[in-house]
Amino acid sequence: MMEVDGSDSVHANGDELQGVAESKAEGSTKDHDFYFNFYSSLQNQANMIGDISRTGTYRKAILGNAAAAFKDKVVLDVGAGSGILSYMSAQAGARHVIALEASSMAEKMSILVKAANKGKSNPHLRDRIRIVRGMVENKTVQDEVLQTGKVDTIISEPIGVMLLHERMVESFILARDLFLKPGGHLLPSAGHIFFSPFSDEALYNETDQKAQFFNTTLFGTDFSELYAAAREEVFAQPVVGMFPPTSLVSSACPPKSFDFYKCTKEDLLEFTIPVDFVVHRTALVHGLASWFDLDFYPNPPPTTSDPAWNYPVMPANSWQWMTQDSPLNPAPPPPAPGEGLNVKLSTGPSAPRTHWQQARLLLPEPLAVNKGERLVGTLSFNVNEARSYDLVMDLKVDRPGPEWDMNPLKRRAEYQLQQQCFNYSYNPDATLGSLGLNGAGLAQ
């Protein structure tokens, strides 16, 4: 869930903890904005809550850090959505939770909170949740959040495809600067973007075929003059979906990391990631695959680990939706360690599926690379007005040759991260099921 500029708040005051008060201010957030409309849908919220790797890892991070970062603390949930992280924070013992949400999902949250405050259900939420509707960037919202002073802990799920799509991490960092007490806690605490070259002839041909549609006569009109534009368009679309780890032709290079305790908004606006791979098999490289990891830890990080918390967040059988121990309502965890807990969520190709899946950047023309050769280059990220990024990828095979000569082993491609297309040709759950295996979680 992301919050962006241009909204006044609809908020609750101290006498209205059970709901959301009305605001007559002009320019309030409107759900007819496609972005806010998407997150105001309970069905879209269900998709995110039902992502067991995502939500289960957040639960482990919150309850595992209950003693260090939540017990008797004031907590801010930025981009609260359904409020699931606010409710977990209350379960972890938070004294007061501010659920900040820009869409009309705030009103839907208030239904649960009102019922709890009247003693109808969820006693762990009673008189603990204050809903503020609006965006971090809005001054009225800032004043509302600070009614109870700065907070001890900020929790958020500010993540999009390739970690930064939707640009909510900027709002998360702004909330840190505005609302967090010195020495306070941030969950998530860091994010890491990974890249690795891949070979996938079927995906490449499928993408090219989309452009070939226009390279012909359609209903009596020759469209072939549009073929070049169609090809440029489809290859500029990042492909979102799962892929088999065997399609990778090299190990991932060291990630681009963002320490959310320390990074600035400016660090997120424009940056370049160097990449350097040693190819482990001769192949046509069709582009770079990407995924990300998240780290969760208190401030300061714990110096020891608790073996009782060393368990996967996914159930042992990923298909056990109808069993008594539902993955959507797991049993209570062990007592939280005093120092807190280090928790990691991976969205990589060998990890359990998440709703983010992975992303691939296709080259319009593949690169032929031999086993043992180096593939080097850069990926440049620049924010755009579509709550996303424009990307430029430069790659070359590090093979000796005259620099003044045209080098067929170099490629440059441009992408718009918001123009994602989806590919569902690979289903790891079905593959594991056919082998009699399961998707036991790797998020630790």
Side-chain angles (χ1 to χ4, degrees):
M1 176 71 191
M2 179 190 175
E3 298 165 311
V4 294
D5 293 335
S7 164
D8 289 319
S9 68
V10 180
H11 56 268
N13 61 35
D15 297 325
E16 295 168 320
L17 294 182
Q18 74 275 16
V20 182
E22 294 294 332
S23 170
K24 302 301 183 183
E26 294 183 1
S28 60
T29 303
K30 301 294 185 181
D31 279 345
H32 59 65
D33 179 304
F34 175 80
Y35 181 80
F36 293 108
N37 184 63
F38 179 87
Y39 285 109
S40 68
S41 163
L42 284 168
Q43 291 306 303
N44 289 328
Q45 293 292 335
N47 180 53
M48 291 182 284
I49 294 173
D51 179 347
I52 303 300
S53 288
R54 165 199 181 266
T55 313
T57 300
Y58 266 87
R59 176 181 182 269
K60 185 174 182 177
I62 292 170
L63 299 186
N65 284 293
F70 290 89
K71 180 68 173 174
D72 298 324
K73 306 289 188 183
V74 177
V75 177
L76 172 64
D77 179 2
V78 178
S82 66
I84 189 69
L85 303 186
S86 296
Y87 311 148
M88 290 178 182
S89 298
Q91 286 177 317
R95 172 170 54 87
H96 181 62
V97 182
I98 305 163
L100 177 58
E101 171 56 35
S103 81
S104 63
M105 187 57 63
E107 277 75 33
K108 295 166 186 173
M109 264 194 289
S110 73
I111 296 171
L112 284 182
V113 174
K114 286 178 181 178
N117 289 348
K118 292 177 180 178
K120 291 183 177 180
S121 60
N122 298 311
H124 62 288
L125 303 183
R126 187 167 187 172
D127 298 328
R128 291 192 179 190
I129 310 293
R130 177 162 65 99
I131 299 170
V132 177
R133 184 173 177 189
M135 300 177 295
V136 174
E137 292 78 2
N138 183 271
K139 181 63 168 62
T140 304
V141 172
Q142 294 168 12
D143 292 341
E144 283 298 324
V145 171
L146 290 171
Q147 276 187 1
T148 47
K150 291 200 172 186
V151 304
D152 302 289
T153 300
I154 296 179
I155 184 78
S156 183
E157 197 273 78
I159 306 304
V161 171
M162 213 176 287
L163 187 69
L164 299 176
H165 170 59
E166 297 186 0
R167 295 181 59 186
M168 190 185 165
V169 174
E170 294 168 39
S171 297
F172 183 47
I173 296 304
L174 178 60
R176 177 202 69 188
D177 294 341
L178 291 173
F179 307 131
L180 189 64
K181 293 178 181 178
H185 311 278
L186 283 175
L187 299 175
S189 313
H192 316 276
I193 312 174
F194 293 85
F195 290 94
S196 180
F198 73 92
S199 183
D200 191 332
E201 185 175 2
L203 177 64
Y204 179 85
N205 290 339
E206 175 187 321
T207 304
D208 184 63
Q209 194 60 40
K210 293 177 184 178
Q212 288 288 351
F213 177 86
F214 291 97
N215 195 24
T216 188
T217 298
L218 301 170
F219 296 94
T221 299
D222 183 357
F223 275 71
S224 59
E225 291 295 327
L226 294 180
Y227 170 63
R231 201 170 191 277
E232 179 180 351
E233 179 182 294
V234 296
F235 278 94
Q237 296 176 332
V239 179
V240 175
M242 307 291 286
F243 59 81
T246 53
S247 69
L248 301 179
V249 300
S250 173
S251 301
C253 61
K256 171 66 175 179
S257 295
F258 296 92
D259 182 340
F260 297 144
Y261 281 105
K262 297 178 181 178
C263 74
T264 66
K265 177 180 178 180
E266 288 68 31
D267 293 332
L268 303 167
L269 300 182
E270 181 179 351
F271 57 92
T272 297
I273 303 174
V275 293
D276 190 341
F277 312 99
V278 177
V279 174
H280 57 59
R281 61 182 169 91
T282 299
L284 279 178
V285 171
H286 292 106
L288 293 185
S290 180
W291 60 93
F292 61 86
D293 288 359
L294 291 175
D295 293 332
F296 301 81
Y297 48 81
N299 183 22
T303 56
T304 60
S305 60
D306 187 335
W309 284 83
N310 188 25
Y311 59 86
V313 301
M314 291 285 283
N317 185 343
S318 61
W319 303 100
Q320 62 174 48
W321 289 93
M322 302 303 292
T323 63
Q324 186 175 0
D325 187 18
S326 167
L328 290 172
N329 191 28
E339 279 194 320
L341 195 67
N342 277 313
V343 179
K344 183 178 289 290
L345 170 64
S346 176
T347 67
S350 297
R353 175 197 292 271
T354 70
H355 78 285
W356 294 292
Q357 305 184 78
Q358 292 106 37
R360 284 178 287 180
L361 304 175
L362 276 166
L363 289 168
E365 300 295 336
L367 274 169
V369 186
N370 295 316
K371 179 179 179 179
E373 288 187 317
R374 288 176 64 215
L375 186 64
V376 299
T378 58
L379 284 130
S380 298
F381 285 64
N382 286 275
V383 294
N384 60 33
E385 296 302 314
R387 302 190 180 111
S388 197
Y389 286 78
D390 297 326
L391 308 181
V392 178
M393 179 167 67
D394 285 295
L395 283 180
K396 73 173 183 178
V397 181
D398 189 17
R399 193 179 297 166
E403 281 298 317
W404 49 265
D405 197 10
M406 183 179 293
N407 187 348
L409 301 177
K410 290 182 179 179
R411 299 287 186 269
R412 165 169 280 212
E414 298 182 3
Y415 309 90
Q416 294 177 317
L417 185 54
Q418 74 275 12
Q419 297 292 342
Q420 300 154 16
C421 66
F422 297 86
N423 182 276
Y424 301 110
S425 59
Y426 173 70
N427 184 340
D429 295 334
T431 302
L432 290 169
S434 68
L435 296 173
L437 303 174
N438 61 63
L442 300 179
Q444 299 296 325

